[in-house]
Every structure is written in structure tokens, then in C-alpha cells.
């Protein structure tokens, strides 16, 4: 599509107008592809990624369906965030519907101890 934003990009743009991460409460951003799912905790004020996790990274080991991997990535990002001293975040679904693998990742992060 030339000159036009996709539906997801329009939704993402609207979400990012309202959501911003700070040092006290950084943003948990999620990206989903056909092969994997990725999560980052970002401080938008400093412009830095504080913590990241992915279902395709070397330190991740989980077999099962993509939904089960999403839960495991959520728990992994929560574990890494706790180690970095992060307790609460702002959840950025990045234009995706809060359904399926995005929802599974969010629930896994909550189970791991992140507040949002």
C-alpha cells in the first residue's frame, strides 16, 4: 500500500499517542510474527531498551504450541524485569488485538509478577 497505513499501523499510532514509558513505569512492547513472539521493556524518555525476551533467542527453551511459548516468553520477560528492578509497566499491544498470543504473553508476564 503506497501512501496508506495498514490497519495495524493506524491502531498502533493511536495507541502510542496515549502510551509512553518512563523510568518509573517503562513500556512493555510486544511484536508478533508468524514464527515467534518478542517482548521489550522500553524507557521512552531515555530512548533505551531495558530488558528483552524472544521465543527465538538462545536463552529461551520451550517446546509446545505458539500460545504456550507466548506464556513462557511473558514469564521470562517478567523474570528479567524483576532482576533489573522493574515492578510495574505500561502494556503496549503494538496495534495487535488483545487476543490469542498477545493475551497469553500478558498473562504470563502477570503470572511472573509484573504489574499492569
Amino acid at each position: 500500500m503506497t501512501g496508506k497505513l495498514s490497519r495495524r499501523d493506524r491502531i498502533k499510532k493511536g495507541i502510542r499517542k496515549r502510551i509512553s514509558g518512563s523510568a518509573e513505569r517503562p513500556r512493555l512492547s510486544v511484536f508478533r510474527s508468524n514464527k515467534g513472539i518478542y517482548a521489550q521493556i522500553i524507557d521512552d524518555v531515555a530512548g533505551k531498551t531495558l530488558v528483552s525476551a524472544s521465543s527465538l533467542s538462545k536463552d529461551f527453551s520451550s517446546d509446545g504450541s505458539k500460545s504456550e511459548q507466548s506464556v513462557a516468553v511473558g514469564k521470562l520477560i517478567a523474570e528479567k524485569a524483576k532482576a533489573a528492578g522493574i515492578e510495574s509497566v505500561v502494556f503496549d499491544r503494538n496495534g495487535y488485538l488483545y487476543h490469542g498470543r498477545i493475551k497469553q504473553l500478558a498473562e504470563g508476564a502477570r503470572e511472573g509478577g509484573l504489574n499492569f
Side-chain angles (χ1 to χ4, degrees):
M1 291 209 266
T2 57
K4 293 186 180 180
L5 294 175
S6 69
R7 179 179 185 274
R8 185 180 144 250
D9 287 334
R10 283 194 316 267
I11 294 170
K12 179 180 173 180
K13 191 175 170 185
I15 290 170
R16 289 290 288 124
K17 274 192 233 176
R18 295 184 304 260
I19 292 177
S20 179
S22 63
E24 300 83 40
R25 198 155 178 224
R27 176 171 56 100
L28 172 59
S29 181
V30 177
F31 177 74
R32 177 190 61 151
S33 71
N34 287 337
K35 288 190 174 183
I37 191 155
Y38 311 83
Q40 296 182 32
I41 296 182
I42 304 164
D43 178 3
D44 287 319
V45 176
K48 299 214 179 225
T49 299
L50 307 173
V51 178
S52 66
S54 165
S55 62
L56 302 177
S57 64
K58 291 180 180 172
D59 61 344
F60 180 79
S61 61
S62 175
D63 292 333
S65 67
K66 289 190 267 188
S67 292
E68 292 167 355
Q69 289 180 2
S70 297
V71 173
V73 169
K75 289 180 181 176
L76 180 64
I77 194 87
E79 181 181 305
K80 287 183 175 183
K82 290 275 190 180
I86 300 166
E87 294 292 323
S88 67
V89 295
V90 178
F91 188 71
D92 177 12
R93 58 190 175 91
N94 212 2
Y96 299 108
L97 296 177
Y98 188 77
H99 178 75
R101 291 193 284 155
I102 302 297
K103 186 175 180 181
Q104 295 292 329
L105 187 139
E107 289 174 358
R110 283 189 185 109
E111 285 176 24
L114 276 181
N115 297 321
F116 56 91

